[in-house]
């Protein structure tokens, strides 16, 4: 993929770093604690136990890291299992289940958290209680994701629609695009990059994988930060179990996209690393800043609430448009009603399972 691949990686990495630049705003506290309502001050109930919470957080880092690795790596090794290859029905069903998990994460976990934060009594009536900022930001995030998705696909199609070299003149390899003097070429089956062609579809898979990972990385850091900063053991215990379940199956959805994108091993490894480590990194960051972090401070509620809203819009768009709609309206499912019904059941099971988890986290 050469220059184009590197450019997208740089953009992704920049956006990831940009997402990390927001949380520090959350640590500003009111200079006059007497002005803060009692319900907005630090929780001092019997569940608050700093030493016990620290042990649970360390367990959380290890368990979430392991489950994240398992979830995202399972699809990548599925080629060795004939039943789980991308062209098989079982892969489609598992991917639909994972898409349901991602959809429910946006609707049932991230977006409601954003509404709770931005409608908190700890925030001023004007403007936070006068306008539904969570829904507005989620809507804008979905529109921006559509723009990025569409423009990135269009640009890649334009850059790789000329100078295609037949397979007999290539040296095989990974079907990555690379620059050549006087044009571009594609390692692969030597087809022109037109809508509906295998190479055009490959470009879509790559854009989808990168945008989806960006959305997951942003909300994973925020979730990890919140868990790492709290000392409430009653909150941490169910949250760790919910996050392990969430990371496992969300990772499977992302891993399926990475597999279909047919990246080389280096890029696969980088994407697996980012997905697996962002939540543990957020927890570790929260632990380090737990002494100065005030989860009920206005700046914390506003920053995390807006980040959650933007993540929710991105995840909902990706789940509905790039994962579910693409598969269900594609030729494979449209030509097989039985497989389509099985996939619907898988989506409902995934979304239902993740929705039930909202009872505890």
């Amino acid at each position: 993929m050469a220059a184009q691949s590197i450019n997208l990686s740089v953009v992704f990495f920049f956006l990831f770093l940009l997402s990390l630049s927001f949380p520090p705003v959350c640590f500003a506290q009111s200079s006059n604690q007497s002005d803060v309502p009692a319900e907005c001050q630090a929780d001092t109930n019997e569940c608050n136990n700093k030493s016990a919470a620290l042990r649970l957080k360390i367990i959380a880092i290890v368990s979430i890291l392991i489950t994240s690795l398992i979830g995202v790596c399972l699809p990548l090794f599925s080629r060795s299992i004939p039943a789980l290859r991308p062209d098989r029905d079982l892969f489609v069903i598992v991917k639909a289940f994972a898409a349901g998990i991602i959809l429910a994460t946006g609707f049932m976990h991230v977006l409601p958290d954003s509404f709770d934060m931005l409608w908190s009594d700890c925030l001023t009536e004007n403007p936070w209680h006068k306008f539904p900022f969570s829904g507005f930001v989620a809507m804008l995030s979905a529109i921006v994701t559509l723009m990025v998705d569409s423009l990135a696909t269009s640009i890649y199609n334009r850059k790789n629609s000329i100078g295609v070299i037949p397979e007999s003149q290539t040296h095989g390899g990974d079907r990555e695009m690379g620059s050549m003097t006087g044009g571009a070429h594609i390692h692969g089956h030597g087809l022109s990059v037109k809508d509906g062609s295998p190479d055009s579809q490959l470009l879509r898979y790559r854009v989808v994988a990168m945008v989806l990972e960006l959305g997951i990385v942003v909300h994973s850091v925020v979730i990890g930060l919140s868990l790492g900063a709290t000392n409430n053991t009653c909150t941490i215990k169910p949250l760790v179990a919910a996050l392990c379940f969430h990371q496992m199956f969300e990772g499977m959805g992302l891993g399926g996209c990475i597999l279909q994108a047919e990246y080389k091993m280096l890029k696969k490894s980088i994407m697996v690393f980012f997905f697996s480590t962002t939540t543990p990194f957020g927890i570790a960051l929260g632990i380090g800043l737990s002494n100065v972090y005030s989860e009920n401070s206005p700046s914390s509620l506003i920053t995390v609430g807006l980040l959650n809203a933007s993540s929710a819009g991105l995840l909902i768009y990706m789940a509905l448009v790039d994962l579910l709609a693409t598969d269900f309206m594609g030729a494979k499912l449209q030509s097989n009603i039985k497989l389509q019904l099985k996939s619907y059941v898988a989506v409902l099971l995934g979304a239902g399972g993740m929705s039930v988890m909202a009872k505890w986290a």
Side-chain angles (χ1 to χ4, degrees):
M1 201 173 186
Q4 292 92 337
S5 176
I6 295 172
N7 289 340
L8 189 55
S9 297
V10 171
V11 170
F12 170 72
F13 184 66
F14 171 76
L15 290 174
F16 169 68
L17 293 178
L18 184 63
S19 72
L20 297 184
S21 67
F22 290 97
V25 180
C26 305
F27 308 123
Q29 299 187 57
S30 173
S31 58
N32 187 355
Q33 290 296 321
S34 61
D35 296 336
V36 181
E39 66 272 16
C40 300
Q41 295 181 12
D43 192 4
T44 57
N45 61 37
E46 65 277 4
C47 289
N48 269 26
N49 186 323
K50 191 170 184 179
S51 60
L54 181 60
R55 289 195 296 271
L56 289 174
K57 292 172 192 177
I58 293 172
I59 293 172
I61 289 175
V62 176
S63 58
I64 291 174
L65 178 62
I66 293 173
T67 53
S68 298
L69 279 171
I70 292 173
V72 74
C73 288
L74 272 178
L76 301 182
F77 292 101
S78 64
R79 291 188 187 278
S80 59
I81 305 174
L84 289 175
R85 290 176 181 171
D87 58 335
R88 299 301 178 90
D89 292 352
L90 184 58
F91 179 86
V92 176
I93 294 172
V94 171
K95 187 181 175 185
F97 177 82
I101 294 283
I102 295 172
L103 183 63
T105 297
F107 272 120
M108 299 299 296
H109 292 259
V110 185
L111 190 57
D113 283 349
S114 176
F115 274 107
D116 288 343
M117 291 176 180
L118 297 183
W119 281 91
S120 172
D121 291 335
C122 302
L123 297 182
T124 58
E125 181 74 17
N126 188 24
W128 301 105
H129 296 179
K130 299 290 187 180
F131 185 79
F133 283 98
S134 294
F136 180 70
V137 172
M139 176 185 69
L140 288 182
S141 176
I143 294 173
V144 170
T145 305
L146 169 64
M147 292 168 58
V148 172
D149 200 9
S150 174
L151 291 172
T153 303
S154 178
I155 291 170
Y156 276 176
N157 280 335
R158 282 173 175 270
K159 287 186 176 180
N160 296 280
S161 61
I162 58 173
V164 177
I165 298 178
E167 185 177 19
S168 60
Q169 297 180 29
T170 67
H171 300 290
D174 185 270
R175 292 180 68 190
E176 292 271 1
M177 281 73 72
S179 299
M180 291 186 69
T181 302
H185 74 283
I186 296 177
H187 294 295
H189 300 297
L191 296 176
S192 299
V193 181
K194 298 177 181 178
D195 290 341
S197 73
D199 292 300
S200 178
Q201 186 61 53
L202 180 62
L203 292 173
R204 287 289 304 129
Y205 285 143
R206 289 177 175 170
V207 172
V208 167
M210 296 297 282
V211 176
L212 178 60
E213 172 132 347
L214 175 62
I216 291 173
V217 161
V218 171
H219 91 266
S220 292
V221 172
V222 173
I223 291 172
L225 181 66
S226 299
L227 190 154
T230 184
N231 290 319
N232 190 320
T233 56
C234 299
T235 299
I236 295 174
K237 290 177 181 178
L239 187 57
V240 172
L243 284 177
C244 287
F245 177 86
H246 166 266
Q247 291 293 107
M248 169 77 77
F249 292 101
E250 191 174 58
M252 290 176 65
L254 177 61
C257 293
I258 294 173
L259 177 66
Q260 289 179 313
E262 298 186 15
Y263 288 120
K264 288 183 178 179
M265 184 55 66
L266 177 60
K267 184 164 289 186
K268 287 180 182 177
S269 301
I270 292 173
M271 296 186 75
V272 167
F273 172 80
F274 271 108
F275 171 78
S276 303
T277 59
T278 46
T279 302
F281 169 77
I283 296 173
L285 182 63
I287 292 173
L289 297 168
S290 58
N291 290 330
V292 295
Y293 178 85
S294 177
E295 62 183 357
N296 289 325
S297 69
S299 55
S300 171
L301 291 168
I302 292 169
T303 305
V304 177
L306 293 177
L307 281 174
N308 276 338
S310 61
S311 296
L314 192 156
L315 292 174
I316 291 168
Y317 170 88
M318 295 299 296
L320 287 174
V321 178
D322 283 334
L323 298 179
L324 294 174
T326 299
D327 284 345
F328 279 97
M329 300 307 293
K332 187 177 183 67
L333 286 177
Q334 286 293 306
S335 62
N336 190 335
I337 297 297
K338 186 177 180 180
L339 177 59
Q340 195 172 149
L341 293 176
K342 290 179 179 177
S343 298
Y344 279 129
V345 172
V347 173
L348 291 173
L349 287 175
M354 202 62 203
S355 297
V356 170
M357 297 301 292
K359 180 177 176 63
W360 297 281

